[in-house]
Amino acid sequence: MGSQMVAHSELDEVFRALADPSRRLLLDSLNERNGQTLRELGSRLDMARQSVSKHLAVLEAANLVTTVRRGREKHHYLNAAPINEIAERWITRYEQDRVHALADLERALEDTPVEKPSFVYSTYIRTTPERL
Amino acid sequence: MSWHQRDLKITDPEQVVLESEPYRRLSYTWHTFSAEWAESVGFTDAAHERLTSERRSKITFEIEALDPEQVRLTVLHDDLEPGGVTAAMISQGWPRVLANLKTLLETGETLPENPEPPTPVRLGLTTA
């Protein structure tokens, strides 16, 4: 029961993060082009750096966005983990097939592949770096 | 670097470790989709051909110790072919592999067999 409570509060955070239109815009922008820096996101969306940074912090806390450092730059990626959990929880396997089929069709129709696609998954594990 | 997947071994000089910092970061190029590999996963010739025409992708693991009891693991798979089969395959494969890893480390046991059909079947790329 304890773990279910934790799962609930994690989902609360996800939905709270999604409730804001600016944050959804940021997610859309990352969906279009994953791995953007703070500066890139700001200029693409015409949003002040401070507000981008504030919204990204909320998205990161909800584990919807994860960051990867490359040298001095910090790149932001959509995290597949929570989205996957939501899908597994509420979308049955049958529907998932349909969702996949729809997504495939959409992709084929649009034929506008993201220029540099990447997959990011970030998770928390009760272990040590040495064991992992 | 040679790649081992079940009983299969794939060697290719282009499979290289790009970065290695023990317990922190590991990055290497993805394996070659050899004919034996395609056969072992039941891919059709057409699907295998599409895969081999795609660019070689890259995987990076990042480990951050948050406190003595927990770590954050971030897996970044990039340099993927836009709209390619590799991207479709790995984005469905990783969540289960990583959930399995988490389960194993926390409970000492792996997840039960996957009740869902493997991705390639769903993508219509295999004969199975």
Side-chain angles (χ1 to χ4, degrees):
Chain A
M1 202 178 116
S3 72
Q4 227 180 342
M5 295 284 290
V6 171
H8 272 291
S9 75
E10 275 171 12
L11 269 182
D12 283 349
E13 250 187 282
V14 168
F15 286 112
R16 251 198 302 274
L18 291 174
D20 182 277
S22 301
R23 289 198 282 273
R24 291 199 296 271
L25 257 165
L26 283 170
L27 293 176
D28 283 340
S29 180
L30 288 176
N31 192 33
E32 239 166 71
R33 203 157 70 88
N34 225 350
Q36 295 183 68
T37 60
L38 190 71
R39 188 171 34 80
E40 287 169 325
L41 280 166
S43 69
R44 267 168 79 97
L45 299 176
D46 199 19
M47 218 186 267
R49 196 190 162 89
Q50 270 164 321
S51 111
V52 174
S53 152
K54 190 187 74 191
H55 287 310
L56 280 176
V58 178
L59 291 169
E60 237 189 295
N63 209 18
L64 281 163
V65 164
T66 191
T67 59
V68 176
R69 219 167 243 295
R70 268 199 219 111
R72 289 183 56 205
E73 295 210 292
K74 210 164 131 186
H75 298 262
H76 300 80
Y77 292 90
L78 290 179
N79 183 14
I83 309 278
N84 211 60
E85 274 161 36
I86 292 171
E88 286 202 351
R89 192 172 162 142
W90 284 300
I91 306 176
T92 65
R93 211 205 308 169
Y94 168 71
E95 283 166 332
Q96 250 174 31
D97 284 344
R98 287 178 49 204
V99 172
H100 284 303
L102 276 176
D104 286 347
L105 180 65
E106 234 173 304
R107 222 172 297 140
L109 289 176
E110 282 178 351
D111 203 25
T112 46
V114 244
E115 44 192 283
K116 250 186 106 192
S118 40
F119 175 86
V120 174
Y121 189 106
S122 189
T123 188
Y124 297 83
I125 309 177
R126 180 181 282 272
T127 190
T128 61
E130 289 75 18
R131 282 193 69 210
L132 180 58
Chain B
M1 178 178 84
S2 71
W3 190 284
H4 299 261
Q5 195 168 335
R6 299 212 166 86
D7 294 335
L8 205 73
K9 184 178 169 189
I10 309 169
T11 47
D12 192 313
E14 289 196 34
Q15 290 172 184
V16 290
V17 174
L18 301 165
E19 253 183 286
S20 164
E21 201 187 314
Y23 311 128
R24 287 271 317 135
R25 202 177 159 86
L26 174 65
S27 180
Y28 52 86
T29 54
W30 202 242
H31 68 86
T32 301
F33 298 109
S34 68
E36 295 74 33
W37 176 87
E39 210 194 308
S40 78
V41 293
F43 264 43
T44 59
D45 286 349
H48 180 225
E49 215 167 283
R50 267 185 71 186
L51 271 174
T52 49
S53 73
E54 295 182 0
R55 76 168 88 162
R56 187 180 297 273
S57 60
K58 183 182 99 189
I59 184 81
T60 305
F61 299 91
E62 239 183 36
I63 301 172
E64 286 164 83
L66 299 177
D67 61 39
E69 275 189 289
Q70 54 180 329
V71 302
R72 174 162 67 190
L73 169 68
T74 298
V75 176
L76 166 65
H77 198 143
D78 63 0
D79 285 353
L80 290 157
E81 185 75 22
V85 179
T86 316
M89 227 168 45
I90 63 96
S91 58
Q92 286 184 45
W94 277 122
R96 186 166 173 92
V97 170
L98 297 167
N100 210 349
L101 176 66
K102 178 172 159 71
T103 304
L104 176 67
L105 286 164
E106 292 178 345
T107 70
E109 280 172 47
T110 53
L111 288 171
E113 274 294 298
N114 191 354
E116 292 185 4
T119 315
V121 177
R122 210 148 58 188
L123 292 173
L125 298 171
T126 55
T127 44

